[in-house]
Amino acid sequence: MSALSHTMGGDLDLSGTGSVAVVTGADQTRQALLRRLCTNAGAYIWQPDYGAGLPARVGSVMDEAAIRALVLEQMQAEGGVDQTQPITVTLTNPKVGAYLLAIAYTDAATGTVQELTLST
């Protein structure tokens, strides 16, 4: 199955011919995860539990355990993630005031281990 390609924070992506681009496989899962992690909980009225709202936490006091639990909860709700394989969520603090969130998961469509990294 494919979906319209959408880079989080932007508009729909265009193909090389100027039409709306589609995405499949591991790229589709990556886009879905970014959308889920960056969408505020309650933003979709028909799915009030959808979304982690990570961008809204920028500037707040860091609660690493709560962030890790929230990300794991959202990862377990995403159909493109192989739930029979481990999901690793790592938070590091490379410099004062900055955090790096690294998520390792297995893509359900391709069976390959993928890494998604977000930073402040």
Side-chain angles (χ1 to χ4, degrees):
M1 187 161 76
S2 62
L4 295 178
S5 182
H6 174 247
T7 303
M8 193 65 200
D11 207 345
L12 292 174
D13 297 326
L14 298 178
S15 71
T17 62
S19 62
V20 177
V22 295
V23 65
T24 60
D27 288 335
Q28 182 178 359
T29 301
R30 178 178 299 279
Q31 285 187 9
L33 286 170
L34 283 170
R35 188 169 33 258
R36 179 178 286 279
L37 294 173
C38 293
T39 298
N40 291 325
Y44 293 151
I45 61 171
W46 302 116
Q47 292 181 323
D49 294 333
Y50 179 91
L54 293 182
R57 292 177 176 261
V58 173
S60 301
V61 174
M62 176 58 79
D63 182 348
E64 291 185 27
I67 296 292
R68 193 173 289 109
L70 177 63
V71 169
L72 279 171
E73 175 187 329
Q74 292 297 314
M75 295 293 290
Q76 292 168 352
E78 189 59 52
V81 175
D82 185 345
Q83 301 301 323
T84 66
Q85 300 300 314
I87 299 167
T88 305
V89 178
T90 307
L91 281 159
T92 57
N93 183 227
K95 63 180 181 177
V96 175
Y99 282 87
L100 181 68
L101 171 65
I103 307 164
Y105 64 94
T106 302
D107 183 79
T110 64
T112 60
V113 175
Q114 302 289 317
E115 186 164 312
L116 179 63
T117 305
L118 303 169
S119 62
T120 59

